[in-house]
Amino acid sequence: MSPHTNEQSSSHDDNDMTTSLGGLALHSEAGAPHVAGNGRHGNVTGGHCNKGFSASYSNTKSNTNGNFDCTERPLLAGVYAPTPAFFDPSTEELDIPTIRKHAVRLAQGGIVGLVTQGSNGEAVHLSHAERRIVTAATREALDDAGFRGVPVIVGCGAQSTRETIELCHDALVSGGDYAMILPPSYYKTLYTAQSQYDFFVTVASESPIPILIYNYPGAVSGIDLDSDVVTKLSKHPNIVGCKLTCGNTGKLGRVANAAPSGFMTLGGSSDFTLQTLIAGGKGVIAGLVNIAPRACVDVFNLYAAGRMEEAEKMQAVVGRGDWGAIKGGVVGTKSCLQSYFGYGGFGRAPLPRPSPEKAAEYLADFEELLLLEEFLNSGSREEDIHYDKKNEFSQLVELERMLV
């Protein structure tokens, strides 16, 4: 599988905000730019404006104004990265240069797609305007670096059907290719199985871009969509995949084998990449990719090449590293990026800022994985095997010897 200046956003009222970013006009809901042209997906009709929304919203994408192109960016089997939103450590304003730099680093590591406004992207800490800016900056950075074919999936979950659809439109005008949707959860005790099903059907029918179902019980008060519901939803022409962060590989296998051909059943964590592929899934969307994209991608590549022994051993190293990411969440991920790569900063308040001692602890959790990433980036050469770490990481050294 082929791999594929600190700028700050101004603070304005979201109802009249217009931000220009590299030629992308990003307007608020009250003034969203009209986008017209040929439909990008056969099941979405051109020229349709959703009932109840401003006529400035359209289901189609155009290149007539020079801002967006109509290139199809299919979802490919492989590894996807849910990118963090980066902030200035003093002001907490968006750090656009770091957002751009990180997106390109991930693409250079071989990922096949990026996700903005996922759990790692602190979507719950962003205004609608900031969400659009992050997605647009990511799309622009990929295009400028020659990764025009890498799709951008945008987290668009919200508590109401109406706002979720609104965010899907925002994703489109910001350069997003797909929307990823969590089920609503605030009124959990009042929802029925049918109301959750109807939510996804309505959003999919009204969204101008295809959607993926995001099943992450930990983020939605324990709501866990079962394989029957996901399989039934997979039949909708505008629902093209799912991310299963529940970790239930039995469910994943049932969905992967019952959904229509081409449906992207994706695992939601790097620690079960190999298990996902064996069960019939197409890949993963995993936060650990932000730290070690090449190692995460190589688990997929080794499996695809039929090199199962190496794939299993690399999965073991990746899985141990992912435990650090699971424990530390976005705080630990950003801390590692800052300690090891020199960028990353902190999450927005009220997320805690780790002490120097805690930052060292986070970095130690990723040490073995970072050594593997270093080895892979150097070309997997004999002279780069970490023999000096054999006592601490004997399995790592064994894997590196196999990869030379």
Side-chain angles (χ1 to χ4, degrees):
M1 180 71 56
S2 300
H4 280 102
T5 86
N6 194 25
E7 188 176 331
Q8 297 178 358
S9 60
S10 300
S11 177
H12 295 284
D13 188 327
D14 202 29
N15 289 327
D16 60 12
M17 174 175 170
T18 301
T19 301
S20 178
L21 179 64
L24 296 177
L26 305 177
H27 298 254
S28 70
E29 292 75 48
H34 177 69
V35 188
N38 295 322
R40 298 183 60 210
H41 304 278
N43 296 305
V44 181
T45 57
H48 168 69
C49 290
N50 290 298
K51 184 177 180 180
F53 289 92
S54 165
S56 62
Y57 281 123
S58 169
N59 273 14
T60 56
K61 194 179 244 189
S62 171
N63 61 4
T64 56
N65 61 7
N67 289 341
F68 306 99
D69 62 44
C70 297
T71 303
E72 289 285 349
R73 298 187 182 96
L75 296 175
L76 302 176
V79 173
Y80 294 75
T83 60
F86 296 102
F87 307 107
D88 182 283
S90 300
T91 66
E92 291 197 349
E93 295 289 344
L94 290 173
D95 182 351
I96 300 301
T98 299
I99 290 169
R100 291 173 55 92
K101 175 175 74 173
H102 185 67
V104 173
R105 173 180 163 252
L106 293 175
Q108 291 171 337
I111 56 93
V112 294
L114 291 179
V115 180
T116 60
Q117 279 88 72
S119 306
N120 276 274
E122 294 184 60
V124 294
H125 291 165
L126 302 178
S127 69
H128 282 212
E130 288 175 321
R131 287 177 178 229
R132 293 191 294 275
I133 292 169
V134 170
T135 298
T138 301
R139 176 75 269 156
E140 183 185 64
L142 292 172
D143 290 350
D144 289 350
F147 295 101
R148 298 182 65 84
V150 173
V152 175
I153 304 168
V154 184
C156 295
Q159 293 305 309
S160 72
T161 303
R162 180 183 179 88
E163 185 182 8
T164 303
I165 295 168
E166 191 174 278
L167 289 171
C168 291
H169 284 277
D170 281 359
L172 170 67
V173 299
S174 305
D177 301 288
Y178 302 86
M180 190 167 71
I181 311 293
L182 281 165
S185 60
Y186 188 83
Y187 296 109
K188 176 186 175 181
T189 59
L190 301 179
Y191 295 134
T192 64
Q194 187 62 44
S195 63
Q196 289 283 14
Y197 175 80
D198 291 343
F199 165 78
F200 281 103
V201 168
T202 303
V203 170
S205 299
E206 293 293 318
S207 173
I209 52 179
I211 74 168
L212 292 86
I213 300 162
Y214 187 9
N215 190 55
Y216 183 14
V220 290
S221 302
I223 292 173
D224 190 0
L225 303 174
D226 64 33
S227 55
D228 291 341
V229 170
V230 178
T231 299
K232 186 177 179 183
L233 287 169
S234 73
K235 307 299 194 293
H236 191 287
N238 207 34
I239 299 179
V240 298
C242 63
K243 176 187 178 182
L244 301 180
T245 308
C246 52
N248 187 331
T249 53
K251 177 194 300 185
L252 188 150
R254 289 190 293 274
V255 172
N257 287 281
S261 174
F263 186 81
M264 295 294 293
T265 306
L266 299 166
S269 184
S270 290
D271 64 354
F272 63 102
T273 302
L274 197 55
Q275 299 93 315
T276 293
L277 300 173
I278 291 170
K282 302 296 195 299
V284 295
I285 301 174
L288 188 68
V289 183
N290 289 292
I291 291 173
R294 198 165 297 277
C296 293
V297 168
D298 273 6
V299 175
F300 177 90
N301 289 342
L302 289 168
Y303 174 82
R307 297 167 61 183
M308 285 300 298
E309 186 177 3
E310 292 110 308
E312 290 174 7
K313 292 184 183 300
M314 189 167 291
Q315 176 65 82
V317 176
V318 167
R320 288 191 289 271
D322 205 23
W323 181 231
I326 292 166
K327 290 187 294 181
V330 67
V331 173
T333 296
K334 283 189 168 183
S335 178
C336 178
L337 289 172
Q338 184 65 50
S339 297
Y340 191 81
F341 296 100
Y343 72 90
F346 308 102
R348 268 188 175 166
L351 283 176
R353 296 190 173 195
S355 65
E357 294 77 17
K358 191 65 177 177
E361 183 181 319
Y362 284 137
L363 185 60
D365 285 340
F366 299 112
E367 182 181 1
E368 182 188 25
L369 179 65
L370 289 167
L371 291 171
L372 174 59
E373 187 77 0
E374 176 187 279
F375 173 78
L376 296 172
N377 283 330
S378 70
S380 303
R381 303 176 303 180
E382 173 74 32
E383 57 266 35
D384 294 314
I385 294 175
H386 291 95
Y387 287 112
D388 59 322
K389 298 289 185 178
K390 188 174 181 178
N391 290 336
E392 299 167 80
F393 305 118
S394 60
Q395 292 183 14
L396 169 67
V397 174
E398 181 184 0
L399 171 61
E400 290 178 342
R401 291 180 63 183
M402 295 174 70
L403 294 172
V404 169

